Amino acid sequence: QVQLVESGGGLVQPGGSLTLSCTTSGTTISIFHMGWYRQVPGKQRELVARIFSDGNTNLLDSVKGRFTISKDFAKNTVFLQMNNLEPEDTAVYYCNALVKIPRNSFLDTWGQGTLVTVSP
């Protein structure tokens, strides 16, 4: 069973920085993409950033220029560097990955979520 292990959330002041990381555990053959979604109470979960195995990325417009996603798929890990954080970035951040697993199967899996709070 493949699981995603997240770390790096916490409390930060506006203008501060945090780095989230996410690593897979279990047996994966390859990774198609990994990324981060976020959700606040009463709103839909939204894609923040995603990176593909070829290095292409998707970024939410409101975080462009502030957030950077990077990967080390040799270590099955993705990072989200968040700079110049704003109170509006407060949310639970969820790691997501689409991976190939044994027996020629694919798995779209989620982490448990890590809380990021941006507040004075």
Side-chain angles (χ1 to χ4, degrees), residues 75-96:
K75 297 181 179 180
N76 291 355
T77 301
V78 65
F79 305 94
L80 184 67
Q81 175 67 43
M82 304 185 294
N83 297 326
N84 194 20
L85 282 159
E86 304 170 352
E88 293 74 20
D89 296 315
T90 296
V92 177
Y93 285 69
Y94 295 91
C95 183
N96 169 257

Side-chain angles (χ1 to χ4, degrees), residues 11-74:
L11 172 65
V12 64
Q13 293 185 340
S17 298
L18 282 175
T19 301
L20 305 182
S21 63
C22 174
T23 302
T24 69
S25 67
T27 301
T28 59
I29 304 300
S30 60
I31 297 174
F32 290 96
H33 60 71
M34 291 183 74
W36 295 91
Y37 287 70
R38 68 187 182 187
Q39 188 170 26
V40 297
K43 292 190 176 181
Q44 285 190 325
R45 192 172 294 188
E46 64 179 356
L47 175 65
V48 177
R50 178 168 54 200
I51 188 165
F52 295 82
S53 58
D54 63 2
N56 284 328
T57 61
N58 300 133
L59 275 173
L60 183 68
D61 283 346
S62 63
V63 307
K64 288 179 180 177
R66 301 188 297 121
F67 292 11
T68 302
I69 188 167
S70 60
K71 65 178 177 67
D72 183 351
F73 281 0

